[in-house]
Amino acid sequence: MSATRQYSIELLAPARNVSVAVAAINHGADAVYIGAPTHGARAAAANSISDIAAVCDYAHQFGARVYVTVNTIVYESELRKVEQLIKDLYRIGVDALIVQDLGLLRLDLPPIALHASTQCDIRTPERALFLQSLGFSQLVLPRELTLEEIKAMRQAVSLPLEAFVHGALCVSYSGDCRASLLCGGRSANRGECAQICRLPYNLIDGKGDTLIKNKHLLSLRDLNRLSELNSMISAGISSLKIEGRLKDESYVKNVVSAYDMALRTLGVPRTSHGMVERNFTPDVERSFNRGFTKAFLFTSNPPAGSLANHKSPKSTGPIIATVTSIHGRKIVLKNVKELLNNGDGLNFGPHGFRVNKVESPTTIITQEPVSGLNPGMDLRRNFDKKFTDTLTSPNSATRYIGLQLTLRRVHNSLILEDADGTAASIDFPKQDALTPQEDARKRIIAKLGNTVYRLENLTDHLGHEFVTASALTKLRREFIEMKNIGMASRFKRELRRAESKEAKWPEGTSLTFHNNVANSMTEAVYRSHGVHENIEPALEISRTSTKETEVMCTRYCLRRELGKCLKEAKGREWKEPLSLYSPGLPPLNLHFDCANCQMRISIKS
């Protein structure tokens, strides 16, 4: 059993760009993850070195950390470019890199901490222990793990463990999906996933009959573990990760706030500091979601209908009302759960429309008559105009570091001191005042301008002394300078851990394309850790010549989700083989590994 320790809790937020990163920190994130200029697993969310430097400068004021994703596989011709990129990221103050390609371990890198991406597919304790032995500082666990499996990971390693708590779910184990690559030439392991899992499909049985038509059969709901944070922390997760590096600023503000408030209610220690003052009440139901699921957190065999949203891959939102009658552009409602607003987005199934005008609490007017809408249908609100307007405000939240100051005199000096011991002093002779001065002194000291500090309390021991405004201003400035120096000195970057030469790859002495080896450096890492037989290259650089290629391995089982598990009588009603068909794509052949409760998807060459 590995010796483990208790870690402070980190709320890790996605950042599409600088403004989203700053918003995430202001709304309570302890760390953000943001895409590098190249080689991030979301190619559409790349950022310049100068922009990432600005994020570091802002985050570090609160002791918040910045992790940069360099988590694609790397081609041989790109190794030196990536090496220089990492040197640049270290120079500007990045706290750690989230990486997939083990070949980076053999580059000439600065001592920057490395986190093993979810793309590393760490689905067993043995893999986790191997990556710890290679010198990684934090492990990002698969979304598919149960609490019991997380506990087993915690027992196996002594590193901080990171896990997703909210956002979109990949249907496949991350890093082990090549469906986008083989269906359209866009590799998920290169940050270019085409999201074919969100497309509509027909399900065809072995006789050629259509069992289900035009449904989004591989499109999972979004993860929501807001109510399970204590369970995840107790199981051993210390970094709680929100998915969404393509999400907009309003989404990040709302979701980060919801999780920050939940963690503050739990009272757990956090890795950053500062308080957050919001002018809205977060509600994750009001941000983009496809319906929610806790996924496999409590069982590897969840009940039918609990994982996917087969009707639509778009945001659905909560039911807001039921249609009573329709009169052209006028729609009369009943059971209205909340007041509607002009500009709200409503939907029924895959169809949506905007509210042009709210005529009364139960009557709305649309721009055009809504085709397909009938009395008795439920309407969901997937765009709350009023709530979104609040979130788009630049003042939706303020993050600050509270000061508990004491003002006193020692001989001929005035001293301003914080509760943490930070202090500044100036020479100023004692002078008596004719009138009380406490309020005037407090007003001057509280003028903290554009700093991250806010005066929460001032204990003033000067009594009826008179101190000039200029002297107090100078004292305040001296104190802020000392406070900034102290904060900076306490912030320490974690450095890369040493690699154990004795570590052995735990899964045999050969590798297949599932291990994503795309360059000589990666091959060298595996060779040095016990892989001495054949190493099959990644499909991105060498397509296999087999007649059928597995493109996806998933814990999500379509049979189980649809109530047709092969272990039950109803499952035998569907004759195999089963395949999924969507226009423009090759057939996706479904294979059911009942022993391991997994579904595998393959494509014929």
Side-chain angles (χ1 to χ4, degrees), residues 148-160:
E148 292 306 310
E149 289 168 330
I150 290 171
K151 290 176 183 177
M153 294 285 189
R154 179 69 285 158
Q155 292 298 309
V157 299
S158 57
L159 298 179

Side-chain angles (χ1 to χ4, degrees), residues 64-168:
R65 288 176 164 76
V66 179
Y67 305 145
V68 173
T69 58
V70 189
N71 58 338
T72 68
I73 58 174
V74 180
Y75 295 157
E76 189 75 26
S77 61
E78 301 169 334
L79 287 169
R80 296 309 161 194
K81 178 182 177 182
V82 171
E83 183 177 86
Q84 184 57 52
L85 170 65
I86 293 173
K87 289 178 180 178
D88 291 340
L89 293 170
Y90 180 74
R91 172 179 52 82
I92 63 172
V94 168
D95 296 286
L97 303 178
I98 303 174
V99 304
Q100 174 187 187
D101 199 314
L102 300 186
L104 303 187
L105 300 175
R106 293 294 178 267
L107 299 182
D108 180 21
L109 300 184
I112 191 168
L114 301 178
H115 293 184
S117 170
T118 187
Q119 298 297 117
C120 290
D121 188 12
I122 316 169
R123 68 178 89 169
T124 66
E126 291 77 17
R127 282 196 189 186
L129 185 59
F130 176 69
L131 291 169
Q132 173 176 277
S133 299
L134 293 188
F136 284 93
S137 298
Q138 188 154 298
L139 306 180
V140 189
L141 299 184
R143 297 164 172 88
E144 293 85 353
L145 297 188
T146 66
L147 282 174
E148 292 306 310
E149 289 168 330
I150 290 171
K151 290 176 183 177
M153 294 285 189
R154 179 69 285 158
Q155 292 298 309
V157 299
S158 57
L159 298 179
L161 298 178
E162 178 181 319
F164 286 92
V165 292
H166 199 93

Side-chain angles (χ1 to χ4, degrees), residues 537-557:
L539 287 188
E540 284 78 1
I541 62 172
S542 178
R543 304 291 174 87
T544 61
S545 59
T546 57
K547 293 182 179 180
E548 191 162 358
T549 303
E550 182 182 308
V551 296
M552 191 183 296
C553 175
T554 171
R555 209 167 205 177
Y556 165 75
C557 176

Side-chain angles (χ1 to χ4, degrees), residues 556-573:
Y556 165 75
C557 176
L558 188 56
R559 279 185 169 276
R560 182 182 59 221
E561 183 71 8
L562 294 171
K564 300 291 184 178
C565 176
L566 282 168
K567 295 179 180 179
E568 301 173 0
K570 286 185 177 181
R572 292 187 286 275
E573 296 172 1

Side-chain angles (χ1 to χ4, degrees), residues 352-391:
F353 62 93
R354 285 295 176 101
V355 176
N356 192 50
K357 181 182 178 182
V358 178
E359 194 171 80
S360 75
T362 57
T363 305
I364 59 175
I365 308 296
T366 61
Q367 189 71 37
E368 301 289 343
V370 180
S371 177
L373 184 64
N374 296 304
M377 287 184 171
D378 288 332
L379 291 177
R380 295 176 176 270
R381 178 164 63 182
N382 58 356
F383 181 77
D384 187 328
K385 179 67 164 57
K386 184 177 180 181
F387 186 70
T388 302
D389 286 348
T390 300
L391 289 174

Side-chain angles (χ1 to χ4, degrees), residues 395-413:
N395 301 315
S396 54
T398 302
R399 185 161 179 173
Y400 64 91
I401 297 170
L403 300 178
Q404 304 284 336
L405 300 182
T406 299
L407 179 62
R408 57 191 174 88
R409 171 178 293 282
V410 175
H411 304 303
N412 207 41
S413 297

Side-chain angles (χ1 to χ4, degrees), residues 409 411-414 428-432 462 464-466:
R409 171 178 293 282
H411 304 303
N412 207 41
S413 297
L414 293 178
F428 191 84
K430 184 175 182 179
Q431 300 180 34
D432 291 331
L462 296 188
H464 274 60
E465 284 193 39
F466 172 75

